[in-house]
Amino acid sequence: MRLLRTFLRLVGPYWLDKRNWQAWLLLASIIGLGLGIVQINVLINAWSKTFYDTLGEFDTDALYGLMGEYSLYIGIFVLIAVYKAWLRKALLLRWRQSMSERLIGDWLDGQAYYRLGLDGEPDNPDQRIAEDVNLLVTRSVDLLVSFITNMAQVIAFVGILWALSGTHEFELFGYQWQVEGYLVWIAVIYTLIGTLFTHWLGRPLHRLNYAQQSREADFRADLLRKRDHAEQIALYRGEEAEYQQLRMRFQAIAENWWRLMVRERNLGFFVVGYDRVSNIIPIFAALPLFLAKTITLGGLMQIRTAFTAVQGSLSWFISAYTTLAEWSATVERLGQFEEAISRTRHHVREPLCGECLRLDRVDILLPNGEPLLCDLRGQVLSGEWVRLAGPSGLGKSTLLRTLQGLWPYCRGVWQLPTGRSLLLPQKPYLAALPLRELLVYPSVEKVADQRLCEVLELVGLQHLVTQLERQTEWERELSGGEQQRLGLARVLLYRPSTLYLDESTNQLDDQAAQSLLAMLRRELPECTVIGVSHQQRVQSLFDRNLELTAQHGKMTTALPA
């Protein structure tokens, strides 16, 4: 039941939205076409009796007519099957797109993607969004449609099989027994036994599939990390260490894969044998009727077809067991991901907004609740440049992240300035975008080329003015200093009201850093700046220093009391 509740929570936002009525229409069409296939099978079942009886009578003219009838059935079947597959793909695309957008939105909203990493992030969020959503959507539609189609096939054929079975008499334990529709009962009992054995043999598949998806994702994520840090690895000449790590990752995949193979092999022995035996059971079961000349050869073939349809449809759980195991593992992984995102919302505190930054007995904590910085008080006036001073490891960067609203582990009362804020880290984020989009990030507004070129010249990147349309992996092409210059260019274009600098010029020499920050102060005279820097010449640009100690930090205004 817990798994079903998780599934309903995952799919509810899409299927309960009235705007997605087309999805219901598509699903109904797919199910309707599936039922059409069932009807075609019923007609072919009736046709098979007539055909084999006509074949036994060597009625050539009638045979040609029956062959034409069968061709018509096949043509209709092909048309229905093709459109059913096409509509299925359309539904899968719509649902997957909607669910992916919702999960991505939840993941990005409120910096959940960042907060997840602070406290128990589920493994590989990228894989859960990209692959698990696809698996959930595909498996859910296929399982639902196949279940409804198979149940319809049971209803369509069980009456035929019951009528063909007649009444079977036999003696057992000294008593004479009469069984109505005995072939139906044979199909039901055989399927029930098969279902129980399938569940007993395949029960561990859920756990193994969950582990396999997780380990595959770990391996891919590790490969991406190697690529992202290729230069550092090359500088260390760490190829052997990286090879060993990747080899261990893949070994974990292989070990679980073998366990999965063994379990699926054992299940396969039973399922394949079960399917093969089910093909001959109706013949043996109906043989007494044929030998007694109660039914014709055509009737025997009709019984075989009807029995196979009923027994095969009742065996839906057996044939779909492996898919159900994958589906349940996917539901669990996505459910855990959504719950983890939801937990990040509990830590979010919306600070007050006012004319300036003001702190009143604010404590910055570690995730385990231990204090990092205590009793922070005071204010920073609008347009003021303030430097946070103190030994490394004290928590200055964490304080900046708290003021930016990223670090949730804090208590006390604080007020942030109105307007836009921006935190510039040591290493700017450089996505593989065209340079013009990279410069205006995080804004999505269009900026004139002339302004972009002016900003590039201001920060000393004039050699890039001809590459605004170029898209490449800038993180690999630009040096550390050039990346920090590009980060300052973003500040000039974004024009925040409050700017937090976290060693944002430490890849530049002191003279260049001082010159760039002085230019920044001229260009953005009303911007409030709170920064961390250990560069001596940079420190002179700040109006005052705020000394933080391991015991407590105190912020005081530069104006007289």
Side-chain angles (χ1 to χ4, degrees):
M1 289 302 295
R2 183 180 64 84
L3 186 69
L4 183 58
R5 286 195 298 269
T6 301
F7 173 71
L8 293 176
R9 188 181 76 245
L10 289 169
V11 305
Y14 181 74
W15 289 100
L16 298 180
D17 190 337
K18 293 180 180 179
R19 293 171 297 179
N20 295 325
W21 60 271
Q22 291 179 323
W24 284 101
L25 181 61
L26 284 171
L27 181 61
S29 301
I30 294 166
I31 293 173
L33 291 173
L35 297 179
I37 290 175
V38 172
Q39 182 59 36
I40 294 294
N41 289 334
V42 171
L43 295 173
I44 290 176
N45 176 260
W47 172 91
S48 66
K49 179 182 185 305
T50 306
F51 177 79
Y52 282 107
D53 286 342
T54 303
L55 186 64
E57 296 171 0
F58 296 96
D59 188 344
T60 305
D61 293 337
L63 283 174
Y64 285 130
L66 288 169
M67 290 171 66
E69 181 182 348
Y70 186 76
S71 299
L72 178 63
Y73 291 153
I74 292 302
I76 296 173
F77 180 91
V78 170
L79 186 66
I80 291 175
V82 169
Y83 269 102
K84 178 173 175 283
W86 188 84
L87 292 174
R88 168 186 170 274
K89 290 180 179 178
L91 176 59
L92 294 180
L93 178 60
R94 285 173 173 269
W95 187 9
R96 182 186 177 188
Q97 182 176 6
S98 175
M99 191 170 184
S100 296
E101 289 176 355
R102 179 173 63 84
L103 274 180
I104 291 171
D106 290 345
W107 185 53
L108 294 177
D109 185 47
Q111 291 88 38
Y113 60 94
Y114 173 77
R115 299 177 190 277
L116 281 172
L118 302 176
D119 185 21
E121 180 183 41
D123 62 272
N124 306 296
D126 55 318
Q127 190 256 8
R128 298 189 191 226
I129 294 174
E131 293 190 24
D132 286 352
V133 168
N134 184 32
L135 282 173
L136 175 71
V137 167
T138 303
R139 296 291 187 260
S140 297
V141 170
D142 290 348
L143 287 170
L144 176 64
V145 172
S146 67
F147 177 78
I148 293 175
T149 303
N150 277 279
M151 292 307 101
Q153 188 155 279
V154 169
I155 296 170
F157 280 95
V158 73
I160 297 173
L161 187 61
W162 187 280
L164 291 171
S165 301
T167 302
H168 187 62
E169 298 183 359
F170 61 95
E171 185 177 339
L172 183 65
F173 303 121
Y175 294 94
Q176 199 71 20
W177 300 82
Q178 286 187 348
V179 179
E180 295 282 346
Y182 79 99
L183 291 173
V184 174
W185 293 112
I186 290 175
V188 170
I189 293 171
Y190 182 67
T191 303
L192 180 61
I193 294 172
T195 299
L196 292 175
F197 268 96
T198 299
H199 183 58
W200 177 64
L201 290 170
R203 188 168 48 184
L205 287 176
H206 169 87
R207 172 178 50 82
L208 292 172
N209 275 288
Y210 183 99
Q212 192 66 25
Q213 291 176 25
S214 178
R215 295 181 185 192
E216 293 278 7
D218 288 341
F219 182 63
R220 287 193 297 273
D222 214 8
L223 286 170
L224 287 174
R225 279 193 291 271
K226 310 307 181 201
R227 183 174 182 275
D228 291 340
H229 299 89
E231 183 178 13
Q232 294 92 323
I233 294 171
L235 292 173
Y236 276 105
R237 297 194 180 277
E239 294 82 5
E240 182 62 28
E242 299 300 332
Y243 174 78
Q244 292 298 331
Q245 292 173 15
L246 290 172
R247 186 172 178 275
M248 289 176 64
R249 288 284 190 193
F250 195 84
Q251 185 63 31
I253 293 175
E255 289 173 357
N256 193 76
W257 185 262
W258 276 108
R259 288 192 287 269
L260 193 60
M261 285 172 56
V262 169
R263 184 57 61 174
E264 289 181 341
R265 179 200 63 194
N266 296 342
L267 182 61
F269 276 132
F270 175 76
V271 171
V272 173
Y274 174 87
D275 287 341
R276 293 299 92 192
V277 172
S278 65
N279 289 333
I280 200 64
I281 281 181
I283 300 296
F284 286 164
L287 199 57
L289 298 177
F290 179 72
L291 295 176
K293 298 184 179 180
T294 305
I295 58 173
T296 62
L297 177 62
L300 182 64
M301 293 299 101
Q302 188 181 20
I303 285 175
R304 181 179 182 274
T305 304
F307 184 95
T308 301
V310 172
Q311 181 271 328
S313 295
L314 289 175
S315 301
W316 175 84
F317 182 77
I318 297 172
S319 59
Y321 197 91
T322 302
T323 303
L324 282 167
E326 294 178 356
W327 173 83
S328 63
T330 302
V331 170
E332 185 174 345
R333 286 175 58 78
L334 283 174
Q336 290 173 348
F337 185 52
E338 273 204 341
E339 289 171 1
I341 291 176
S342 179
R343 285 196 300 270
T344 66
R345 308 285 190 249
H346 301 157
H347 297 295
V348 177
R349 288 185 57 189
E350 294 295 336
L352 301 174
C353 290
E355 294 182 357
C356 64
L357 172 66
R358 181 179 293 112
L359 303 179
D360 184 11
R361 308 195 67 160
V362 172
D363 296 336
I364 311 298
L365 311 173
L366 295 173
N368 61 8
E370 294 181 7
L372 182 63
L373 287 170
C374 299
D375 199 31
L376 296 169
R377 310 183 196 185
Q379 66 180 13
V380 176
L381 301 180
S382 178
E384 192 176 14
W385 279 52
V386 174
R387 172 178 168 267
L388 302 180
S392 298
L394 183 63
K396 299 185 295 296
S397 295
T398 305
L399 174 56
L400 290 181
R401 281 151 180 77
T402 303
L403 298 177
Q404 179 68 351
L406 295 177
W407 189 259
Y409 308 104
C410 50
R411 61 191 174 209
V413 178
W414 67 97
Q415 171 186 285
L416 297 183
T418 56
R420 299 197 295 191
S421 64
L422 184 67
L423 194 157
L424 205 61
Q426 297 181 36
K427 186 175 177 60
Y429 168 61
L430 302 181
L433 297 170
L435 182 58
R436 65 169 61 256
E437 296 181 25
L438 198 69
L439 283 168
V440 300
Y441 186 90
S443 174
V444 293
E445 299 173 359
K446 300 292 184 181
V447 177
D449 289 1
Q450 182 179 352
R451 177 58 181 162
L452 295 177
C453 294
E454 289 175 359
V455 167
L456 286 173
E457 291 179 0
L458 283 172
V459 298
L461 295 176
Q462 51 266 42
H463 61 284
L464 296 179
V465 295
T466 60
Q467 302 185 44
L468 292 178
E469 300 297 335
R470 185 165 174 245
Q471 179 173 333
T472 186
E473 295 190 41
W474 298 102
E475 194 175 66
R476 290 171 175 261
E477 290 206 7
L478 301 180
S479 67
E482 288 176 320
Q483 292 182 36
Q484 291 191 333
R485 288 175 185 270
L486 195 148
L488 293 172
R490 283 176 171 169
V491 175
L492 293 173
L493 291 167
Y494 192 67
R495 302 188 69 85
S497 300
T498 305
L499 176 64
Y500 304 101
L501 300 175
D502 187 6
E503 297 285 5
S504 305
T505 58
N506 64 351
Q507 296 292 313
L508 300 164
D509 62 76
D510 283 7
Q511 183 176 352
Q514 182 189 36
S515 174
L516 284 168
L517 291 183
M519 175 274 299
L520 192 67
R521 188 158 192 173
R522 290 194 306 271
E523 295 291 323
L524 303 176
E526 298 180 358
C527 180
T528 302
V529 176
I530 302 173
V532 175
S533 177
H534 292 91
Q535 294 175 284
Q536 292 297 323
R537 296 186 67 169
V538 167
Q539 295 174 15
S540 62
L541 294 171
F542 290 89
D543 298 321
R544 58 193 172 97
N545 294 332
L546 300 176
E547 293 291 339
L548 303 177
T549 66
Q551 289 75 32
H552 67 279
K554 182 175 293 185
M555 299 183 69
T556 57
T557 177
L559 297 179

